[in-house]
Amino acid sequence: MTEFATRVENVSISGIREVFEAAGDDAINLGLGQPDFPTPAHARRAAVEAIESGQTDAYTSNKGTPQLREAIAAKYDRDYGIEVDPGNTIATSGGSEALHLALEAHVDPNQEVIFPDPGFVSYDALTRIAGGTPKPVSLRDDLTLDPAAVEDAITEETAVFIVNSPANPTGAVQSEADMREFARIADEHDVLCISDEVYEHIVFEGEHHSPLKFAETDNVVVVSACSKTYSMTGWRLGWLVGSGDRIDRMLRVHQYAQACASAPAQFAAEAALTGPQEPVAEMVGAFEERRDVVVDGLEDAGLEVPTPSGAFYAMPRVPEGWCDEVLDRGVVAVPGEAFGSNGEGYARLSYATGMEELKAALEIIDSATAAVR
Ligand SMILES: Cc1ncc(COP(=O)(O)O)c(C=O)c1O
């Protein structure tokens, strides 16, 4: 009988799903990893018009339509003053495919991939699927990733380290100084830094900085997406930015695994990137208000929580049995260990949920916390 590949046997379905399945139908779900806002109307309309005019019936170029890649390149100039050649971008099926391509193209069997722990669930799984060895590193007390911890973890076998700011599951935002350090480490140690920037626009304090701006070599590849910024998780549209050589290798994987990103989604993404940006500002404003309510509510419940500066997650320290207790009382929170072994003793709360529900959830959290103390 054909056995299953070890690479795949070493990966399990995300622990987040298990929590959702355990929740009752009327539970308040603070487990969701996607904005609760509509995709901007102009992006939807662009896709509808492209479909109706027959522009989406065929494959696009493997890298994506020239217009979308122009829009991606223009975005880096507009947002960060970074010059990107549209030829050095690939439109992908979400940030997820972009991460997969970056790891497949750069990690040989048994090479090491360093990533934050707690960190986004895909880093560990995609490393294993690429045949690599996961090297999780712990975070500072404020839940940011310390460049020194990354540098200490680098060995002869290191192929890649992953930086994610703003971060899932912590909401932490790396400083400019940290990002300069990550770029220096990538340059000096000649290892690839994959910078996962899918939450780049959801920042409340300070600004997002990309290590791409600071690196002197081509050792930074950027992953981003429309998913979170434009509330387009269902459209499946992300991208990669890297040097010509790196794009060429990642394109080999993309070409055979995917051919091209979905054409309607590419038209929607082009409109989202080039059209009015007010819907983004409105969404980020709403997230910031909710962030304040959530942090206050958690602190009032007696929980210790670093104030998240971005994304739409908070990660309080919680007593043993806390996630089960809040789940029993009708609130879904994801146990921190779903994001790595250092996540134990924490929980991730998403505030991509309406204010009334959030307030109701915080009341339940208050009484549940008292019950397990
Ligand atoms: C840190 C991080 N990177 C990448 C992704 C993947 O995003 P996409 O929906 O664009 O595939 C997510 C989704 O939750 C994420 O949280």
Side-chain angles (χ1 to χ4, degrees), residues 159-194:
V160 169
F161 67 91
I162 303 177
V163 173
N164 172 218
S165 178
N168 176 9
T170 62
V173 173
Q174 300 289 148
S175 67
E176 178 179 349
D178 284 347
M179 289 306 207
R180 285 184 184 276
E181 272 294 278
F182 290 128
R184 178 193 63 75
I185 292 167
D187 287 343
E188 279 184 21
H189 293 268
D190 200 16
V191 292
L192 181 68
C193 168
I194 297 177

Side-chain angles (χ1 to χ4, degrees), residues 22 235 264:
W235 294 82

Side-chain angles (χ1 to χ4, degrees), residues 12 17 65 68 86-87 90 93 107 116 132 149 216 227 234 241 297 356 367:
S12 56
R17 284 266 149 248
T65 66
L68 172 58
I90 304 174
S93 178
V107 180
E216 288 169 9
S227 308
V241 176
E356 291 316 306
S367 52

Side-chain angles (χ1 to χ4, degrees), residues 33-51:
Q34 58 185 342
D36 56 323
F37 289 82
T39 296
H42 58 275
R44 288 182 177 170
R45 212 165 35 241
V48 169
E49 284 167 10
I51 290 168

